[in-house]
Amino acid sequence: MIKSGILGDSKTKTHTKEEGQTVSLAENCDYYPGIRRPVWFVYSGMGSQWAGMGAQLMRIPIFARAIKKCHKVLEPKGINLMNILVEPDKAIYDNILNSFVGIAAVQIGLTDVLRELNVVPDNIIGHSVGEMGCAYADGCFTAEEMILSAYSRGLISVQTPFIKGAMAAVGLGYKDIVGLCPPEIEVACHNGPESSTISGPADVMRAFVQELTAKGIFAKEVPCSNIAYHSRYIAEAGPGLQQYLSEVIKNPKPRSQKWVSTSIPREKWDEPEAKYSSAEYHTNNLLRCVLFEETSRLIPSNAVVIEIAPHGLLQAILKRSLSQNCVHIPLTRRGHSDPVTFLLDNIGKLYQTGLMPDVRVLYPKIEFPVSTGTPMLSHLVEWMHSEKWPLPKYAEPNYRKASRRRIILSVHDEEYEYITGNVIDDSRKLSADAIELLRAKNTALKRTYACSNAENWFRMRLLLRRMKVHKRRVRYEDSHSYRLHVSIAQDG
Ligand SMILES: CC(=O)SCCNC(=O)CCNC(=O)[C@H](O)C(C)(C)COP(=O)(O)OP(=O)(O)OC[C@H]1O[C@@H](n2cnc3c(N)ncnc32)[C@H](O)[C@@H]1OP(=O)(O)O
């Protein structure tokens, strides 16, 4: 349960033991300060594919539905999407077409999961081909359009005779790497202040990566099926891709303000080329340099950044470039032994940031009444005692509004001597004089007040207003003592 300023609690996975007892396998608690954070969806691109990346996620019905839909769309093209996502054979991704449709399908499936969970982005950003995921999340693409656009990108990649190229992620920002690159190599992606992706002929790239590594600069090859994307070496794929895409995107939809472009420079966002999720837009995305660093600067310092891809590829980059206060949530991790638990854990983290994912959609609908053997969950709900909270003090003035006390007045007490002879024998009523004296001395009242407020009655001054005597009749405790009931209600 989440309450403003209290705790966000996430219990992400439960398991029913053989004896029918439900146990919690993963849980985590954190503060939720009550402030709504902006939600950013991040769609990564090439490099996030891995063998078997969709196999376990098929256990989630929403995801499986999306994949089956995409599978049917690709079937007439002779593509077996299910195999691409489920088979553990690494060679599948030697074919770039499989990488494109595989990444797109997983992004569609995960976006559908988030959509049904009612996790709505404030903004959407993509890296390279990840901008197709943006189009889907933004409502510009249907699932069919997205998977066919990814297919078109793959198809033109395998049909065009490119030079043997390579890409590599390096641990230097654009400004630092651009001057170091040999003339054959281009900076393909501006990823962050400490990260870029370079692209060029495979042999020159190999030598340069070795050179950088020898200098202690991070450099890692990006699996791209020997195609130097976002460089001059793929320019000739442009017209063909635009032709294919225009057959898929028949009615280009306007991009909403949510989707911030990384393929068109910010100063051109108001120009016609940036307005629509069109064949031209996505062709430009393939050919031009990726401006992720520049656009990701718009991500606010307190954002919840959800990476949507088969692997949280950009985590290393996002954590280096964004504010420390951002919450990073990858939905997947390459080679994870239990991708569903990983996903559920991260949905739990969304909950802890203050979002309210409607997790019921992930499970079969419960029909009531449930059968008698249904395991209980209630014992997993418990109070956290790890935090200290301030408590109001009882001694605070005005805390108590009323108090009541029974007092025994003894005529041996100098204070109450006067009562002797002031009780009217027949009715056992205090005489009017005795009442006046009680009122004047008001010791009994002071004591009552002092007791209830933990104060020293000797030093107290008490102003009595609207004092009422409800009963003048007193009760004898014995021949020398009388019982008196005193009640105080504070004014206001
Ligand atoms: C058509 C298209 O889509 S083109 C697009 C092509 N794709 C890209 O350009 C993506 C480029 N980025 C990447 O490939 C990734 O973000 C990578 C390689 C930088 C990191 O990916 P990961 O999956 O996290 O890689 P991996 O787990 O193997 O390695 C991460 C290591 O690299 C390190 N690392 C990542 N970036 C940097 C950096 N800038 N400086 C130093 N180290 C770095 C991490 O600290 C981590 O080290 P650790 O394991 O000791 O913690």
Side-chain angles (χ1 to χ4, degrees):
M1 185 179 298
I2 289 184
K3 273 191 180 174
S4 174
I6 315 285
L7 287 168
D9 186 2
S10 139
K11 294 197 182 347
T12 52
K13 195 182 178 200
T14 57
H15 171 68
T16 305
K17 294 206 287 191
E18 270 175 23
E19 56 272 32
Q21 192 195 0
T22 307
V23 288
S24 167
L25 296 184
E27 62 179 65
N28 191 282
C29 266
D30 209 349
Y31 268 119
Y32 165 53
I35 299 161
R36 192 195 170 279
R37 289 165 174 269
V39 177
W40 281 64
F41 282 5
V42 179
Y43 289 87
S44 26
M46 197 55 61
S48 63
Q49 69 276 20
W50 54 281
M53 61 195 187
Q56 293 297 315
L57 293 175
M58 291 298 282
R59 282 162 49 203
I60 298 173
I62 301 168
F63 184 87
R65 251 195 329 268
I67 300 301
K68 281 176 193 156
K69 193 198 302 179
C70 294
H71 178 86
K72 274 201 177 140
V73 173
L74 291 179
E75 230 171 6
K77 313 260 178 215
I79 305 290
N80 188 331
L81 180 65
M82 211 63 89
N83 271 0
I84 292 172
L85 295 180
V86 167
E87 290 301 320
D89 180 4
K90 284 185 184 166
I92 287 174
Y93 295 105
D94 290 344
N95 182 344
I96 196 77
L97 192 149
N98 292 344
S99 300
F100 279 128
V101 293
I103 294 170
V106 172
Q107 288 177 331
I108 291 169
L110 293 173
T111 307
D112 283 2
V113 170
L114 290 171
R115 206 172 267 163
E116 300 236 0
L117 287 169
N118 200 20
V119 175
V120 181
D122 294 293
N123 282 99
I124 311 161
I125 184 171
H127 187 281
S128 181
V129 67
E131 282 215 285
M132 287 189 180
C134 297
Y136 183 62
D138 200 33
C140 297
F141 275 175
T142 61
E144 187 181 30
E145 284 169 334
M146 174 158 172
I147 201 74
L148 286 176
S149 295
Y151 169 78
S152 304
R153 198 157 165 151
L155 191 62
I156 200 70
S157 296
V158 293
Q159 286 175 342
T160 314
F162 300 121
I163 60 149
K164 186 174 180 193
M167 296 182 84
V170 294
L172 290 177
Y174 168 72
K175 288 196 188 92
D176 297 321
I177 190 72
V178 69
L180 299 179
C181 287
E184 298 88 343
I185 292 179
E186 289 181 29
V187 183
C189 316
H190 305 186
N191 299 333
E194 293 173 38
S195 173
S196 318
T197 305
I198 52 174
S199 192
D203 49 346
V204 188
M205 282 287 292
R206 194 175 313 115
F208 188 52
V209 164
Q210 278 171 5
E211 189 187 318
L212 290 174
T213 311
K215 285 183 187 163
I217 298 169
F218 171 82
K220 187 180 175 194
E221 203 183 315
V222 177
C224 62
S225 305
N226 293 120
I227 299 173
Y229 285 106
H230 304 290
S231 74
R232 59 184 179 267
Y233 303 105
I234 60 149
E236 59 186 294
L241 177 63
Q242 189 160 325
Q243 175 59 35
Y244 284 156
L245 287 176
S246 57
E247 286 163 22
V248 174
I249 313 165
K250 296 208 171 71
N251 299 303
K253 303 214 177 46
R255 297 172 50 239
S256 82
Q257 298 281 329
K258 286 187 175 190
W259 173 6
V260 289
S261 178
T262 55
S263 49
I264 293 181
R266 207 170 161 193
E267 60 275 12
K268 293 188 172 172
W269 283 3
D270 287 331
E271 294 185 12
E273 59 185 300
K275 291 281 178 202
Y276 287 86
S277 173
S278 59
E280 292 77 11
Y281 184 94
H282 291 284
T283 304
N284 177 72
N285 168 293
L286 174 88
L287 302 177
R288 302 281 162 254
C289 173
V290 174
L291 303 173
F292 190 80
E293 176 187 357
E294 291 80 347
T295 307
S296 65
R297 283 194 206 117
L298 297 174
I299 299 179
S301 59
N302 63 341
V304 179
V305 183
I306 307 172
E307 187 175 354
I308 302 161
H311 163 58
L313 182 74
L314 299 178
Q315 290 301 298
I317 291 167
L318 293 166
K319 282 178 187 162
R320 276 177 172 76
S321 57
L322 301 186
S323 159
Q324 299 271 321
N325 295 330
C326 284
V327 181
H328 298 281
I329 303 199
L331 300 179
T332 49
R333 181 181 290 164
R334 184 196 299 123
H336 196 277
S337 58
D338 188 350
V340 173
T341 299
F342 187 85
L343 176 66
L344 292 177
D345 260 345
N346 283 287
I347 290 170
K349 281 184 198 153
L350 290 176
Y351 179 70
Q352 286 180 288
T353 64
L355 297 170
M356 288 299 272
D358 184 2
V359 289
R360 283 172 309 178
V361 300
L362 298 176
Y363 303 102
K365 196 167 175 279
I366 300 169
E367 301 289 348
F368 291 102
V370 293
S371 66
T372 47
T374 306
M376 305 293 285
L377 280 175
S378 53
H379 65 280
L380 294 174
V381 181
E382 54 191 49
W383 289 104
M384 291 289 299
H385 291 291
S386 55
E387 300 290 329
K388 295 217 180 313
W389 299 91
L391 286 173
K393 280 192 198 157
Y394 283 97
E396 271 177 18
N398 300 334
Y399 182 75
R400 281 258 180 129
K401 292 278 181 201
S403 58
R404 184 186 164 98
R405 193 164 165 251
R406 200 181 66 177
I407 302 172
I408 307 293
L409 308 178
S410 168
V411 292
H412 298 303
D413 187 338
E414 210 179 283
E415 182 96 30
Y416 299 113
E417 261 181 352
Y418 66 89
I419 292 181
T420 315
N422 269 308
V423 178
I424 302 158
D425 272 338
D426 288 346
S427 57
R428 285 186 286 138
K429 276 185 179 173
L430 274 177
S431 72
D433 287 346
I435 300 261
E436 267 321 300
L437 273 163
L438 256 180
R439 194 198 296 270
K441 287 178 172 282
N442 72 39
T443 314
L445 296 166
K446 270 192 195 172
R447 279 187 174 171
T448 306
Y449 186 80
C451 281
S452 64
N453 290 278
E455 285 185 31
N456 188 339
W457 71 273
F458 286 112
R459 293 200 212 109
M460 229 166 64
R461 295 169 73 84
L462 202 63
L463 174 65
L464 298 173
R465 274 187 288 166
R466 294 199 287 275
M467 181 175 159
K468 270 191 196 153
V469 176
H470 293 281
K471 267 191 192 170
R472 284 170 58 188
R473 185 172 296 184
V474 291
R475 292 180 66 141
Y476 293 97
E477 280 292 304
D478 57 46
S479 54
H480 304 292
S481 316
Y482 303 94
R483 194 188 299 167
L484 193 69
H485 288 271
V486 180
S487 308
I488 295 181
Q490 226 172 47
D491 206 2

